[in-house]
Structures are given as C-alpha cells and as structure tokens.
Amino acid sequence: HKDYGIGQSLKNLGISSENIGVSTGTQTFANGDVIESYSPTDGQLIAKIKSGSVEDYETVMAAAKAAFPEFRLMPAPKRGELVRQFGNKLREKKDDLGKLVSYEMGKSLQEGLGEVQEMIDICDFAVGLSRQLHGFTMHSERPLHRMYEQYHPLGVVGVISAFNFPVAVWSWNTALSWICGNVTVWKPSEKVGLCALACQNIIAEVLKENDMPEGISGMIVGDHTIGEKLVADKRTALVSFTGSTRVGRMVGTKVAERFGKSILELGGNNAIIISEHADLDMSIIGAVFGAVGTAGQRCTSTRRLIIHSSVYDEVKNRLVKAYGQLKIGNPLDENNHVGPLIDTDAVSQYMESIEKCKQEGGKFIVEGGVLEGGNYESGCYVKPCIAEVENSFEIVQHETFAPILYIMKYDDLDEAIEMQNDVPQGLSSAIMTQNLCEAELFLSHSGSDCGIANVNIGTSGAEIGGAFGGEKETGGGRESGSDVWKYYMRRQTNTINYSTTLPLAQGIKFDI
Ligand code: UN1
C-alpha cells in the first residue's frame, strides 16, 4: 500500500487510532457507540471514534446555551479576530486537512485542498464582515423621530453537514455564525467523522489560546438520533441543514412547527445548456469536470446536458472521447481524475439508477459499472457513464449522487430553458454560448429558475463570495457570501422619538 503520507497527516491533525467524538469546545467526552471510519479509497480502517449519546448531546447544548449570553456581548470585530486566527491555523494545516478530506471522503487531493481553501476564504470574508454588520436608517414620517434597523445575534445555531463537503460547509456556517455573535453545535455526517474531529481540534486551539469559555463551538459525532434532537430542540434558533431533499423536507417541517429558522441546502439536478454558439472546447471541459469531479457527489455536479441539435453529434463524440481518457483510481494520486464513491450503499444506488434509466429507455453511449480487483478493492469505484434520455424520465427528474450524465437535444433556446427548469430541484445551472442575447435570455426573468445561473462556466465550483443555494426542492436556503449573514441574525426595527410630544403614525389623533 502506498501511504501518501496519510499517517503523518493524521498525527499532525491530532487524530489517533481511537478518538473521542464529542466536544464542547476544548473539552471532550463521549458515551455512545464506537464508529469505525473506513476509507473509500482503499477500504482500510482509518480510525475509530467514540460517538455521542443523547446525554452527551444535552451536555453540548447546555454548554452552548450557557456560552451565548457572554459571547453575544463580545464586540463583533473581536469575534472576527477569533475567525482570523482560525483562518491562519487553517493555512498552516491546509495540506494535512486537504489530504484527510481526500482520504476519508474520496474526492481528489486537489479538491480536498480546494475545500480547505474555501474554509480559508470564508474566514477572510467573515473577518471583513465583522466590521460591517450594517442595517439601514430611514426617514420617519413623524417630526423629531429617528428610524433605523439593526441585527442581533440569534443564539445557538445547529449545523448538520453532509459527507460530500466534510469541512467547508461547517466553516461557512461557523465563521458567519461567530461574527454574528452566535454559538454553534455541529452534527457532521458520521461517514466523515475524522474530518470533523480534525476541524474541531483546530478550532479548539483557537478557543484555548483566547481563553474562551466552553460552548462556543460544540461538536457531536453521532447518528441521526442526534440530528433529530438538534432539529426538534427549541434551543436551536437556526438549523442549517445540508443533505438530501427527503431528509430536508422533514427537517424544514420540524423546525417550522416550532417557528424556528432553517437554512436548507438540498438536492440539485443541474444542467448545462450547450448552444449552437458555444465554444465547444470550454463546454467539454466544463461538462466533464462538472459530471465526474468529486465522482458526481456535489450538490452542484452536472447531471444533465441540454445540447443544440446542430452540435449534438459533435458534443456526443467528444464526450465519449474525453470519458475514454479518464483515469479512475486513488484520489490521492494526482494523475487520477475520478475517485471512489463514499461507500458501497452509494454504489448500489448508482447501479439501481443505471438500471432504472435503461428500463425507461435510456441509451448508454458510455457504459457504467463497478470496478473490481487491483486498486479497486474498496468496492467503491465506479465508471462515469453517459446516457441519452428524455428529460421527463423519472430517473432524470431525480438526483443520483454519482457520475451519471444524462444528455438530451433541443432546437430552440426557449425549449432548452424549459427543459432545464422542468425538474423539481433548482440549485445550479449554466449556459455555454458566445451569443449575448442567448446569455441574457438565460439570466432573465424567463430564464433559469435556479439559485445559481452561470454563463460559460459549468455548474459546480461556486466561489464563497456569492450567496450559495437554490430554489424549489433545493430548499431555498443561502449560505456563505453576499448578505447571507442576515440569515444568522434577527432583524429589529427601531423608532426613537426625541421630541416632547407623542405624534402617532398615519396621522391618527388620540386625545385624552
Ligand atoms: C455542495 O455540493 O454541497 O460549488 C457544495 C461548488 C462548491 C460547493 C458545493 N463550492 O461546487
């Protein structure tokens, strides 16, 4: 076995063979079952984690609740200083953490490092924001009155993150939450518990060096019962959930029942329209990276290509050629393009989707299948595949978290946009065109209905500076850049009367 220096990286990140999966910040404890983390890259046991029990959850939540009144009084730029230090530590640990992400989750080393880069970027963004959490002032209709609005911290923010972005999604939420004056409780996917532990170890250093109380950044590795507790808990002011539409629907309903706030980042079914005016070189790279990068396990992965009939055959031939050149193998080896799926359950779902697609009449121009033997002993490596389909197929309407690309034909752009929008999900979308009118139409009111719409870029790889999220069954939430911080705060409108009389609004007279 080639080790890729993973043993040293684990050591540098404070991971040993047996770990404790619950933390209130710097203190750790755990009373739940032992979870074993296997790498999908080589099937090896990486390490064990003692997970959290329901009682442990109570301890973490109680610490968070207790820390909030103190933390919210710390000036926002001072909270930003904590985030700045966190970002610096991430810079130091980038190589080790990126490698662990690649090894435990299975994405390519480049993408693992990219994910850590997103963490660093959001920290920088949050530090700047910590001096800008601004509200509007407006003119009152009454004399000698002042009106303005301000944003206050919410309280405890619960973060439930998915396996596919094991470190970045948490940092988007935590960095913003912190500068907004909130404390966080993190429930990572138990499939990537070691990545979470590594992050917690990094943030614990910051907390310790700044003598911060327990409870500001809690974490609990556990199964869905812990997630359910966090969601139902009235003490969780905001639940930020990333995961499937199926689970997200339950989370959204549960949180709404108690009038809590939620940010939902659910499934995508992202398409690229390749127009007759597209640069085909760019289109092929964008489409192939979008479809096979992260082995098709991003919410923003390209699932569908909607191709103009005049370039359809050429695009098809070039895709087949490009897929023929893909190297599938250990993601820590930088010569490989495609790594494994997260686990064998994901492999079964991939196989079922291929089967369903065939039953519905899909025609595979690049065949799928599971890879065996040699370097594929984990059983998690699959072949990226391409099928010609109709957009209306049930399987095409559904998000399969795997490298299956559906292609279809169109004749006029209105039809293409209609197809692109005609799925239940609404996360990311793109058009490849050199024609200004086409690009503008795609971005217009009658264009893409997604939260993200790109021109001459694929569907994945969004920068943290923009608001990230989508419409319809994607859940409507927004994370990371732009003015997304407002979701992490409560808004208050203030009117101050500095006159000596009490004039009522709307000119109402009330004399006594
Ligand atoms: C996700 O798949 O959960 O745009 C997030 C991208 C990344 C984020 C993806 N920046 O692909």
Side-chain angles (χ1 to χ4, degrees):
H1 267 284
K2 203 163 163 216
D3 166 69
Y4 297 99
I6 194 74
Q8 188 58 47
S9 288
L10 287 170
K11 207 179 266 170
N12 296 346
L13 294 165
I15 307 283
S16 52
S17 56
E18 292 185 10
N19 303 277
I20 300 177
V22 186
S23 167
T24 50
T26 65
Q27 284 166 21
T28 58
F29 49 90
N31 298 290
D33 298 336
V34 171
I35 295 175
E36 297 181 324
S37 179
Y38 290 89
S39 170
T41 71
D42 58 10
Q44 302 289 310
L45 175 67
I46 313 172
K48 294 181 184 172
I49 308 169
K50 194 144 171 69
S51 71
S53 64
V54 170
E55 290 73 37
D56 295 335
Y57 165 79
E58 276 303 320
T59 310
V60 173
M61 179 52 89
K65 196 72 192 155
F68 175 59
E70 188 179 334
F71 194 57
R72 71 179 165 192
L73 290 179
M74 192 174 183
K78 291 248 154 49
R79 298 191 300 251
E81 169 59 19
L82 293 176
V83 175
R84 192 186 67 78
Q85 293 177 26
F86 177 46
N88 283 348
K89 285 203 191 291
L90 288 168
R91 284 180 170 85
E92 285 166 28
K93 309 266 183 184
K94 181 175 172 183
D95 286 349
D96 292 321
L97 190 54
K99 203 178 278 181
L100 175 59
V101 168
S102 176
Y103 190 53
E104 193 182 30
M105 184 274 160
K107 65 176 69 175
S108 75
L109 180 60
Q110 278 305 313
E111 292 177 75
L113 294 169
E115 206 185 321
V116 183
Q117 188 57 47
E118 285 196 14
M119 301 176 84
I120 295 167
D121 294 341
I122 197 76
C123 285
D124 285 357
F125 184 83
V127 174
L129 259 187
S130 71
R131 291 184 185 267
Q132 302 177 65
L133 304 171
H134 38 44
F136 286 117
T137 63
M138 53 290 280
H139 289 256
S140 168
E141 66 187 47
R142 288 167 280 186
L144 304 178
H145 279 58
R146 185 162 76 84
M147 263 174 94
Y148 75 110
E149 60 184 22
Q150 55 177 340
Y151 291 84
H152 291 310
L154 280 177
V156 180
V157 173
V159 182
I160 303 179
S161 58
F163 77 84
N164 67 331
F165 272 78
V167 296
V169 168
W170 165 71
S171 73
W172 300 349
N173 282 284
T174 291
L176 289 194
S177 259
W178 273 22
I179 56 122
C180 292
N182 302 311
V183 298
T184 57
V185 173
W186 182 21
K187 181 354 212 144
S189 161
E190 65 268 42
K191 294 178 182 178
V192 284
L194 296 171
C195 286
L197 279 179
C199 289
Q200 188 67 20
N201 288 344
I202 296 171
I203 215 150
E205 281 180 30
V206 178
L207 294 166
K208 202 179 275 166
E209 285 163 15
N210 291 274
D211 214 14
M212 298 304 294
E214 293 300 304
I216 291 166
S217 184
M219 182 207 57
I220 176 155
V221 176
D223 63 13
H224 64 98
T225 56
I226 303 296
E228 281 159 20
K229 280 239 130 200
L230 189 60
V231 166
D233 200 324
K234 280 206 171 100
R235 293 170 293 185
T236 318
L238 167 70
V239 177
S240 175
F241 173 83
T242 305
S244 68
T245 293
R246 187 185 63 81
V247 178
R249 196 187 303 276
M250 295 194 278
V251 171
T253 310
K254 250 295 66 58
V255 176
E257 254 170 28
R258 59 177 179 83
F259 296 104
K261 294 182 196 294
S262 59
I263 295 177
L264 301 174
E265 297 289 345
L266 315 177
N269 194 344
N270 319 297
I272 302 179
I273 297 175
I274 301 181
S275 125
E276 76 229 78
H277 305 293
D279 175 320
L280 291 188
D281 292 338
M282 268 168 36
S283 304
I284 299 295
I285 296 176
V288 177
F289 175 72
V292 312
T294 332
Q297 298 171 106
R298 289 195 196 203
C299 329
T300 53
S301 288
T302 306
R303 311 259 172 239
R304 298 177 294 143
L305 294 184
I306 303 167
I307 308 163
H308 192 265
S309 51
S310 67
V311 291
Y312 185 82
D313 286 333
E314 185 179 354
V315 170
K316 196 169 117 177
N317 293 337
R318 289 177 69 169
L319 283 171
V320 172
K321 199 166 155 228
Y323 270 55
Q325 282 157 6
L326 290 176
K327 292 200 194 76
I328 307 164
N330 195 317
L332 287 159
D333 179 341
E334 294 193 65
N335 292 315
N336 291 325
H337 302 104
V338 186
L341 292 177
I342 183 70
D343 54 25
T344 48
D345 285 348
V347 174
S348 310
Q349 280 164 27
Y350 156 90
M351 289 303 288
E352 278 165 29
S353 294
I354 290 176
E355 211 34 62
K356 270 200 198 129
C357 183
K358 284 183 177 161
Q359 277 165 17
E360 284 188 87
K363 186 171 152 259
F364 278 81
I365 57 164
V366 176
E367 287 289 341
V370 184
L371 292 159
E372 280 163 14
N375 296 321
Y376 304 128
E377 74 263 58
S378 68
C380 299
Y381 290 88
V382 300
K383 291 190 212 157
C385 55
I386 307 176
E388 295 186 281
V389 299
E390 299 291 333
N391 196 54
S392 58
F393 287 1
E394 214 191 316
I395 195 66
V396 176
Q397 295 281 315
H398 173 89
E399 177 192 47
T400 303
F401 237 44
I404 306 173
L405 180 64
Y406 301 120
I407 65 170
M408 49 204 105
K409 221 184 256 185
Y410 79 92
D411 286 313
D412 75 84
L413 188 57
D414 285 333
E415 180 196 352
I417 291 172
E418 211 174 295
M419 282 159 85
Q420 122 77 32
N421 290 342
D422 190 16
V423 289
Q425 309 82 352
L427 180 54
S428 186
S429 60
I431 187 168
M432 293 290 185
T433 182
Q434 301 294 318
N435 178 306
L436 177 74
C437 299
E438 286 196 333
E440 290 290 340
L441 183 68
F442 180 72
L443 301 177
S444 75
H445 311 259
S446 53
S448 164
D449 65 1
C450 292
I452 298 171
N454 296 332
V455 175
N456 292 332
I457 298 181
T459 58
S460 73
E463 299 178 23
I464 61 98
F468 180 88
E471 304 297 332
K472 304 193 292 191
E473 287 193 4
T474 303
R478 293 294 185 277
E479 286 177 323
S480 92
S482 186
D483 65 348
V484 160
W485 60 271
K486 290 181 178 169
Y487 284 85
Y488 296 81
M489 302 198 86
R490 63 186 169 85
R491 183 176 195 155
Q492 188 174 68
T493 302
N494 307 108
T495 310
I496 300 154
N497 174 4
Y498 56 96
S499 78
T500 52
T501 58
L502 186 67
L504 301 177
Q506 298 92 40
I508 291 170
K509 295 267 175 282
F510 185 76
D511 291 323
I512 36 172

